[in-house]
Amino acid sequence: MTTNRLDNLFPSLAEIPEQYRFGAPIEQRDYLVDGQLRTWEGPLASVRSPVFLKSEQGEQQVILGSTPLLDAETALVALDAAVRAYANGQGAWPSLRVAERIQHVETFLARMREQRERVVKLLMWEIGKNLKDSQKEFDRTCDYIVDTIEALKELDRRSSRFELEQDTLGQIRRVPLGVTLCMGPYNYPLNETFTTLIPALIMGNTVVFKPAKFGVLLIRPLLEAFRDSFPAGVINVIYGSGRETVSALMASGKIDVFAFIGTHKGASDLKKLHPRPHRLRAALGLDAKNPGIVLPEVDLDNAVSEAVTGALSFNGQRCTALKILFVHEDVVERFLEQFAAKVAALKPGMPWEEGVSLTPLPEPGKVEYLGGLLADALEQGAQVVNAGGGESRGSFFYPALLYPVNPAMRIYQEEQFGPLVPVVPYRDLQAVIDYVLDSDFGQQLSIFGSDSAQVGRLVDAFANQVGRININAQCQRGPDSFPFNGRKNSAEGTLSVHDALRVFSIRTLVATKFQESNKALVSEIIRNRESSFLTTDYIF
Ligand code: G3H
């Protein structure tokens, strides 16, 4: 039955509703440097969609267009623009009052909102994210910017007062760190990138931004908004291979902050290139293998439905996805049965189709990689529990529920980042605790259970292992006001609306002895508005 469904998975052009058709391929040659959209005359990288279209020649992968393959030299020109705009902290942008920087970001947000439809369509075509989730990604990003502005106003209000400690009068403000390199992941090419890019900018840093490996064209509609909303050189957008461009930026030693969402290997390779390691700050969101643990006393309906969305929303391509499930032997049979039934109810199709949740995968070679993990598990005794699990067509891989999974299988440790759901049966909870303790990752986990003693024991066992413990709920990043971080190879630093403002800044203290002459001097600076730092201005 599934095979039939996959036979008709990819549409012909005529079957796509008019408003979702892609149209002619986009040849992008522009990139943004020093407040100008420049034209790249060199080689281009082809942008392929995960979507195939039926044609007389069979199913053919859609070519969406191309983007500039900048060379190292051009990337360094962009870096120099950011370095000049920062001007060792003396530039107009890092010196601007907070209220004025906020106005620039508000201007950008208004311009960005105008591009919602184009960006959402590109999200669907470039990474295969369904319509609802693509809209959510756009709207969540706008909300994040609004919340960031509010959080900064609050931070600034608190910094507008002086503090008196042990006869020392001081004012403490957060100031920028310098030139920031921002790189995001392909699964949230807009949202995750902007959760570092916007806080970096609003705190007064200047930025070189390189879009993710997929979800690249969708930044194009925002280039004019960036150009027109910020002073020249404050935001520079470059394209090309990371090896060619980003390596050169890091090796230059001129990057002060490295904001990167990707693999821990990629992050370490790039960090090592920086000649001045103590100058470099990093905000990293990296690999994860979040486990879901199902206890014997459990509301199974809830556990299954959370585990299904936790493991399979956006086809499992979320850093926070549940990537391995430990299920107690007493409930495992029922768990598998219900899980398989829920997977069967998920609709495969194209991202714009109503109610679709399973879509094609953007990474070339991903279907083969998942097939390899599956074959390895089968060879070592696992079975595919759900009907049609592991069948594929072109870039589409139908989710496979694998059971019983054991430590000898690759899927036990490797981050699949796709629709493979390994289930490990257990009797002794200690085996599960040991998995978490021994893991190289430490982002989040989920505990499903109703016995307070068992849940309480596990919370304590894991509190020093991961950044977030979810009880009877899937793992996730949101709400964005909550801290998002990880231990071991999973992250460096903590991001949330509030934390990100701190990650991209440092506190500077201006202090003086509390005596008449100093009080008079400071009062005069404030009264005459002779400093942007020493001020009691209050942002409403
Ligand atoms: O890919 C990792 C994202 O931060 C996950 O965010 O949990 O909201 O899907 P999410």
Side-chain angles (χ1 to χ4, degrees):
M1 200 175 94
T2 310
T3 310
N4 290 339
R5 255 190 304 188
L6 294 195
D7 279 348
N8 294 316
L9 182 84
F10 291 113
S12 65
L13 182 61
E15 286 168 322
I16 303 176
E18 187 88 35
Q19 75 265 37
Y20 300 127
R21 291 190 195 160
F22 191 74
I26 300 168
E27 187 187 279
Q28 182 190 335
R29 289 193 172 269
D30 330 274
Y31 60 104
L32 179 64
V33 170
D34 210 10
Q36 292 168 351
L37 285 183
R38 298 192 180 170
T39 305
W40 171 247
E41 302 294 355
L44 301 174
S46 165
V47 180
R48 289 164 188 276
S49 174
V51 173
F52 285 62
L53 287 187
K54 271 191 197 140
S55 71
E56 278 170 14
Q57 294 77 42
E59 285 169 356
Q60 297 203 314
Q61 190 164 18
V62 177
I63 306 291
L64 299 172
S66 45
T67 51
L69 261 179
L70 300 186
D71 53 19
E73 201 184 324
T74 311
L76 288 169
V77 172
L79 175 61
D80 282 342
V83 169
R84 272 198 311 279
Y86 192 66
N88 287 319
Q90 309 296 299
W93 185 248
S95 315
L96 216 55
R97 287 174 193 261
V98 168
E100 290 173 279
R101 280 207 299 265
I102 287 175
Q103 279 171 8
H104 285 271
V105 174
E106 282 173 340
T107 304
F108 172 75
L109 176 60
R111 293 280 303 272
M112 174 175 163
R113 286 190 199 277
E114 293 166 6
Q115 301 300 329
R116 182 177 189 264
E117 210 176 311
R118 283 173 79 190
V119 174
V120 165
K121 193 175 194 176
L122 283 159
L123 273 166
M124 291 194 289
W125 279 95
E126 282 195 272
I127 61 165
K129 190 169 277 193
N130 70 29
L131 176 61
K132 208 165 117 253
D133 287 346
S134 296
Q135 290 169 331
K136 201 160 111 195
E137 175 160 355
F138 189 92
D139 296 338
R140 178 181 177 184
T141 307
C142 294
D143 291 346
Y144 191 94
I145 299 175
V146 171
D147 293 346
T148 297
I149 291 170
E150 275 318 303
L152 179 56
K153 284 182 181 171
E154 182 52 37
L155 185 65
D156 195 73
R157 281 175 201 134
R158 268 185 274 128
S159 317
S160 68
R161 53 191 280 268
F162 280 77
E163 293 178 30
L164 185 58
E165 280 290 336
Q166 297 172 27
D167 233 20
T168 302
L169 180 71
Q171 189 173 31
I172 305 165
R173 279 191 188 282
R174 298 206 73 98
V175 297
L177 291 164
V179 177
T180 302
L181 171 63
C182 285
M183 296 170 71
Y186 78 79
N187 61 336
Y188 281 96
L190 183 75
N191 182 262
E192 289 240 319
T193 320
F194 277 45
T195 62
T196 61
L197 178 65
I198 297 295
L201 284 173
I202 211 165
M203 292 312 288
N205 303 282
T206 61
V207 171
V208 177
F209 160 34
K210 186 171 121 43
K213 59 179 172 177
F214 314 113
V216 192
L217 284 170
L218 61 88
I219 300 298
R220 176 65 191 88
L222 304 176
L223 290 189
E224 284 84 357
F226 277 129
R227 179 195 62 193
D228 300 342
S229 308
F230 296 98
V234 169
I235 166 81
N236 305 277
V237 186
I238 61 164
Y239 297 85
S241 105
R243 191 162 310 168
E244 171 81 12
T245 57
V246 179
S247 303
L249 301 186
M250 291 299 270
S252 75
K254 295 178 187 170
I255 300 288
D256 300 300
V257 192
F258 178 42
F260 175 84
I261 320 280
T263 65
H264 72 276
K265 168 136 189 2
S268 342
D269 290 350
L270 287 169
K271 272 175 90 175
K272 274 185 225 145
L273 293 174
H274 200 290
R276 288 183 269 182
H278 303 302
R279 171 169 173 169
L280 184 70
R281 307 292 168 106
L284 310 177
L286 307 171
D287 327 46
K289 183 85 178 173
N290 294 345
I293 301 159
V294 181
L295 295 168
E297 281 85 44
V298 63
D299 171 350
L300 207 56
D301 289 347
N302 174 66
V304 170
S305 82
E306 287 291 316
V308 168
T309 42
L312 292 174
S313 52
F314 194 35
N315 312 299
Q317 300 167 117
R318 292 164 58 228
C319 61
T320 46
L322 286 172
K323 298 197 177 105
I324 187 160
L325 302 173
F326 292 90
V327 185
H328 193 273
E329 284 175 5
D330 288 354
V331 289
V332 73
E333 290 301 329
R334 280 191 297 139
F335 181 87
L336 292 170
E337 198 181 310
Q338 290 189 28
F339 197 109
K342 277 212 183 294
V343 173
L346 298 177
K347 184 174 165 190
M350 295 302 102
W352 47 83
E353 287 171 30
E354 180 72 27
V356 153
S357 50
L358 305 172
T359 52
L361 311 174
E363 275 183 290
K366 189 59 180 264
V367 166
E368 293 72 20
Y369 167 74
L370 294 170
L373 284 180
L374 178 75
D376 169 74
L378 296 186
E379 253 167 51
Q380 311 207 48
Q383 289 186 346
V384 175
V385 176
N386 60 316
E391 288 179 4
S392 63
R393 188 167 189 104
S395 53
F396 183 89
F397 189 93
Y398 191 76
L401 180 60
L402 285 170
Y403 176 82
V405 163
N406 66 47
M409 301 170 185
R410 283 170 54 201
I411 188 73
Y412 191 80
Q413 301 289 356
E414 268 178 55
E415 180 181 13
Q416 65 271 42
F417 213 76
L420 275 184
V421 188
V423 176
V424 185
Y426 75 89
R427 174 143 296 276
D428 179 4
L429 208 43
Q430 192 55 47
V432 185
I433 296 174
D434 288 344
Y435 177 87
V436 176
L437 265 53
D438 295 341
S439 172
D440 274 338
F441 308 114
Q443 190 200 60
Q444 297 190 17
L445 53 80
S446 293
I447 303 168
F448 298 100
S450 49
D451 180 298
S452 58
Q454 278 189 351
V455 174
R457 173 187 166 209
L458 285 184
V459 166
D460 286 358
F462 296 139
N464 298 343
Q465 305 302 321
V466 294
R468 172 166 167 167
I469 297 166
N470 302 278
I471 298 176
N472 292 323
Q474 60 162 310
C475 298
Q476 59 181 23
R477 175 175 178 150
D480 288 324
S481 51
F482 280 172
F484 178 55
N485 61 18
R487 289 165 175 255
K488 302 176 187 168
N489 281 340
S490 284
E492 192 173 324
T494 297
L495 291 176
S496 71
V497 168
H498 166 97
D499 287 296
L501 296 176
R502 286 152 180 84
V503 165
F504 293 100
S505 61
I506 188 166
R507 284 181 300 170
T508 293
L509 163 68
V510 176
T512 185
K513 281 213 175 109
F514 194 57
Q515 59 194 40
E516 287 313 314
S517 56
N518 290 334
K519 277 196 274 180
L521 178 67
V522 170
S523 299
E524 208 170 333
I525 293 174
I526 293 170
R527 195 169 42 252
N528 296 340
R529 304 181 65 75
E530 282 159 334
S531 163
S532 304
F533 188 105
L534 282 178
T535 160
T536 50
D537 282 357
Y538 190 90
I539 307 181
F540 290 99

